[in-house]
């Protein structure tokens, strides 16, 4: 029996996605120490 194909989620509306994260209070920004 074959496995079902996993769902692929692609964000197409970034401004709305970012606003939803801010409202939820879960906005994480990663900074790489190697960045100048």
């Amino acid at each position: 029996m074959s496995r079902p194909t996993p769902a692929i989620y692609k964000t197409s509306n970034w401004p709305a996605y970012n606003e939803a994260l801010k409202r939820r209070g879960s906005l994480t920004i990663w900074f790489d120490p190697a960045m100048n």
Side-chain angles (χ1 to χ4, degrees), residues 13-25:
N13 189 353
W14 283 104
Y17 178 74
N18 288 336
E19 282 302 316
L21 287 178
K22 288 179 196 174
R23 273 184 268 126
R24 197 173 68 183

Side-chain angles (χ1 to χ4, degrees), residues 5-30:
T5 305
I8 298 173
Y9 299 102
K10 193 174 229 182
T11 303
S12 58
N13 189 353
W14 283 104
Y17 178 74
N18 288 336
E19 282 302 316
L21 287 178
K22 288 179 196 174
R23 273 184 268 126
R24 197 173 68 183
S26 177
L27 183 65
T28 303
I29 301 173
W30 292 88

